[in-house]
């Protein structure tokens, strides 16, 4: 049995930050969308993106449909359910009236969003009145409470999983600020009390309830009437809720296709100061580059993910190997066998702790020392009591003395030297803008940094001397930069157009869309901004200062190379020779075999077909292209 000895001691993935991109169950969300389907949602309208009026029900459906698409990109493990309340028809496990759980075949009520769910939910408006229907679920003379029933159904759907491994949310979309306005007296007080108690029971189970209200042009949604008590708003939170809720709904409709990483503890590490003193730290991921998701192989018939399994067969007997396999390394005509546990211990460089080596001035830390995105660390007293006190004392001393801590980060496969840079707390507008803590910056080893090789032209071999900017050039350039300076710039303001196109193509394929969604490339120059009079004047002054009054851009266009001229001449020659033959006649009469290889290639080159192969291959390729 040969197990390829060269691959026996192959290391694991060296990129320790790959853990940030491993989507685990602890990062997923369970979300139930509760959409009000009362007649008021179909009659109330507001201006849409194209200027035409849209009903609140249409906005709710399109917003949820867009959120479902984004769930697939953000985290494929997220599970969602969609419920309509205030409906004529009912469909739910509790058989409660006024609540309709929307779903498709081959899917549980709370499950990952699928292409079929998104397609059918996007068309729900067309058949809603016929198949589901709309009605007021809370009316005078009836004890039916559709909002109470909806919260009960949503809570039952979210029984799946644990709040320790998933975040559970209920998103309520409605334009009715007083759902009990049509009743009064004891019945109203009793319904309000039971509904609020149902919401409190859900929140006690770790389920958060969020309200996304719709305001009518002539009447603003008043949260204080009922929903402030439902979701627990008071004081300043109540005043600021409507603007923030409106922005949240707008973001839901127009959100970019991007992967989001939950704000969670990525790893717990121990910071060893001395042999008898250590600090327990939690690490958090900050900004990370986003890449397309990993490829998932699917079955061609069922479209289900494939699970790869590997079995070992003995080369001598052909029997299936049972039990754990042992690996070996040939040494002096003998095979030294290792178990998987022994190999892990051999490859282990360190225990994985963070060990302090010393302190250095901040001036010794250069920008180019940062190899990859940093990690934010914060103390925790959960495992080691007193970690926070020791960390605060170390943090203050490092800031006071302008020092950073140099430490050894003992990862199992790729140990590194890291710099711990203390960050002070920044408070802006009465709130915390930057938290106190330390950034763990991964440092390079001496051979990790290499000088950049630049192609320099010697002054002795060139006729044109190097030009240097004059004082006037510098002033005009500074004035131009001042005019086009981006205030409050952040890399998060711009989306990656390549990734946006990648996700748009996947969406079009999955949903069988005829047209690919329009992609707005935010990295292209702002032509409207550049055409402003002040900016245009600064550009013209800079151009005149550098190139002079008589500068013509056409003179600086790159000239065509000799190789390009030869290729163009050869293409023209081939096109001319191609016209000299009646290829249909030659193919029908079987006279292609009488032509030379050079003549056959005239046709192939003109039709942009491959030119490689023997004469018989070329003839076959021509006949295939002609359909003979």
């Amino acid at each position: 049995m040969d197990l390829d000895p060269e691959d026996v001691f192959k290391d694991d993935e060296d990129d320790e930050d790959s853990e940030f991109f491993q989507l685990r169950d602890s990062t997923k969300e369970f979300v139930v969308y509760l959409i009000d389907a009362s007649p008021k949602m179909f009659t109330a309208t507001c201006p849409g993106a194209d200027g035409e009026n849209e009903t609140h029900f249409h906005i709710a459906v399109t917003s949820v449909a867009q959120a479902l698409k984004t769930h697939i990109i953000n985290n494929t493990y997220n599970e969602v359910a969609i419920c309509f309340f205030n409906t004529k028809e009912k469909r739910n496990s509790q058989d409660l009236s006024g609540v309709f759980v929307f779903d498709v075949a081959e899917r549980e009520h709370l499950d990952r969003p699928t292409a079929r769910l998104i397609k059918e939910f996007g068309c729900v408006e067309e058949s809603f009145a016929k198949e589901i229907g709309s009605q007021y679920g809370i009316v005078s003379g009836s004890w039916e409470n559709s909002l109470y029933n909806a919260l009960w159904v949503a809570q039952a759907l979210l029984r799946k999983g644990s709040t320790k491994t998933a975040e559970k949310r209920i998103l309520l979309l409605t334009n009715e600020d007083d759902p009990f306005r049509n009743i009064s007296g004891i019945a109203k007080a009793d319904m309000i009390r039971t509904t609020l108690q149902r919401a409190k029971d859900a929140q006690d189970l770790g389920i958060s309830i969020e309200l996304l209200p719709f305001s009518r042009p002539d009447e603003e949604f008043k949260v204080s009437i009922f929903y402030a008590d439902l979701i627990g708003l008071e004081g300043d939170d109540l005043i600021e809720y409507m603007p923030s809720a409106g922005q949240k709904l707008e973001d839901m409709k127009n959100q970019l296709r991007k992967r989001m990483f939950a704000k969670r503890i990525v790893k717990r590490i121990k910071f060893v100061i001395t042999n008898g003193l250590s600090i327990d730290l939690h690490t958090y991921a900050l900004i990370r580059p986003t890449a397309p998701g990993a490829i998932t192989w699917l079955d061609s018939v069922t479209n289900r993910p494939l699970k790869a399994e590997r079995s070992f067969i003995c080369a001598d007997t052909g029997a299936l190997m049972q039990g754990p396999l042992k690996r070996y390394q040939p040494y002096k005509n003998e095979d030294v066998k290792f178990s998987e546990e022994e190999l892990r211990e051999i490859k282990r460089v360190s225990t994985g702790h963070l060990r302090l080596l010393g302190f250095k001035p901040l001036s010794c830390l250069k920008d180019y020392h940062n190899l990859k995105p940093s990690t934010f660390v914060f103390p925790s007293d959960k495992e080691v009591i007193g970690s926070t006190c020791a960390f605060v004392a170390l943090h203050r001393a490092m800031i006071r003395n302008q020092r950073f801590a140099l430490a050894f980060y003992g990862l199992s496969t790729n140990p590194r030297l890291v710099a711990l840079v203390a960050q002070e707390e920044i408070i802006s507008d009465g709130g915390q803008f930057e938290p106190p803590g330390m950034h763990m910056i991964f440092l390079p080893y001496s051979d990790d940094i290499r000088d950049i090789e630049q192609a320099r032209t010697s002054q002795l071999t060139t006729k044109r001397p190097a030009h240097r900017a004059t004082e006037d050039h510098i002033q005009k350039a500074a004035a131009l930069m001042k005019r086009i300076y981006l205030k409050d710039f952040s890399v998060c303001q711009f989306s990656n157009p390549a990734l946006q196109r990648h996700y748009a193509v996947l969406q079009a394929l999955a949903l069988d869309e005829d047209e690919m969604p329009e992609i707005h490339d935010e990295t292209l120059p702002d032509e409207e901004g550049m055409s402003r009079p002040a900016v245009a004047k600064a550009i013209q002054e800079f151009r005149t200062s550098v190139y002079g009054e008589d500068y013509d851009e056409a003179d600086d266009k790159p000239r065509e190379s000799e190789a390009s001229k030869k290729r163009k001449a050869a293409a023209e020659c081939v096109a001319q020779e191609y016209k000299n033959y009646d290829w249909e006649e030659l193919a029908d009469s079987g006279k292609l075999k009488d032509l030379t290889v050079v003549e056959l290639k005239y046709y192939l080159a003109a039709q942009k077909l491959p030119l490689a192969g023997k004469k018989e291959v070329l003839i076959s390729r021509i006949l295939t292209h002609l359909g003979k």
Side-chain angles (χ1 to χ4, degrees), residues 540 543-544 546-559:
Q540 183 61 39
R543 179 188 298 173
T544 303
V546 175
Y547 299 105
E549 294 284 352
D550 301 329
Y551 170 69
D552 187 3
E553 293 184 4
D555 296 339
D556 281 351
K557 291 184 178 180
R559 297 180 179 178

Side-chain angles (χ1 to χ4, degrees), residues 16 28 47 97 123 204 210 232 362 390 407 418 429 431 435 480 508 531 563:
E16 63 269 24
K28 67 182 180 182
S97 62
C123 304
D204 291 341
E210 300 178 27
L362 286 173
V418 297
D429 298 331
L480 174 59
S531 61

Side-chain angles (χ1 to χ4, degrees), residues 239-258:
I239 298 174
E240 299 173 358
Y241 187 79
M242 281 303 296
S244 63
Q247 183 61 44
K248 185 183 296 185
L249 183 63
E250 191 67 25
D251 292 342
M252 220 174 133
K253 291 190 295 182
N254 303 321
Q255 56 191 322
L256 292 172
R257 302 176 185 89
K258 57 184 177 181

Side-chain angles (χ1 to χ4, degrees), residues 90-96 99 101 109 153 156-157 159:
K90 61 179 179 179
R91 186 170 74 182
N92 53 82
S93 301
Q94 291 74 25
D95 198 31
L96 298 174
V99 182
V101 179
H109 289 330
V153 171
L157 290 171
R159 288 176 184 169

Side-chain angles (χ1 to χ4, degrees), residues 34-46 54-61 84-86 125 128 134 136 172-176 212-216 221:
L34 286 183
I35 303 176
D36 188 358
S38 66
K40 195 174 181 180
M41 288 285 288
F42 292 87
T43 56
T45 61
C46 60
E54 297 176 342
T55 65
H56 288 168
F57 186 81
H58 173 77
I59 297 174
V61 169
F84 295 106
F85 66 100
N86 287 328
E125 288 182 85
F128 188 87
S134 171
Y136 289 106
L172 181 61
L173 295 90
T174 182
N175 64 352
E176 178 58 81
L212 296 179
F214 296 91
S215 293
R216 288 172 291 177
F221 191 99

